[in-house]
Amino acid sequence: MRKLLLILVIGLLLRATLQAQSADASLTGRITDPSKIVIAGATIAVINSGTRIHYMGVTNETGTYYIPNLPPGRYRIEVEKLG
């Protein structure tokens, strides 16, 4: 009985570990101008070339952005900041 319980617990732990894995990726970066000054408030568009789905983000006060949950595919990145 004890051996069966141990196997059950190990099985549950392995299942929980496998479910936590994902094929999606995330993208992070920092936007600066040619003189290396950070650009806060820039809009980042990560566009899937196959599906044309846009994933959006905005740079923070240090010019850093983070775009999570990107499915596998080819992408292009567009950055825009008015002014």
Side-chain angles (χ1 to χ4, degrees):
M1 184 69 174
R2 192 170 193 205
K3 193 173 191 176
L4 178 61
L5 182 61
L6 180 61
I7 290 172
L8 229 113
V9 168
I10 290 173
L12 288 174
L13 289 174
L14 285 175
R15 183 173 179 224
T17 302
L18 292 176
Q19 287 179 340
Q21 297 176 357
S22 171
D24 292 349
S26 59
L27 181 65
T28 189
R30 188 173 194 189
I31 305 298
T32 61
D33 69 6
S35 61
K36 304 292 185 211
I37 296 173
V38 298
I39 300 177
T43 301
I44 312 297
V46 180
I47 304 159
N48 185 304
S49 299
T51 64
R52 307 235 189 275
I53 296 175
H54 290 60
Y55 300 87
M56 306 299 290
V58 177
T59 58
N60 63 16
E61 64 278 351
T62 65
T64 304
Y65 64 90
Y66 176 71
I67 315 277
N69 304 319
L70 296 170
R74 295 183 64 135
Y75 291 88
R76 77 173 192 272
I77 301 172
E78 295 179 1
V79 179
E80 181 178 78
K81 171 73 180 193
L82 297 177

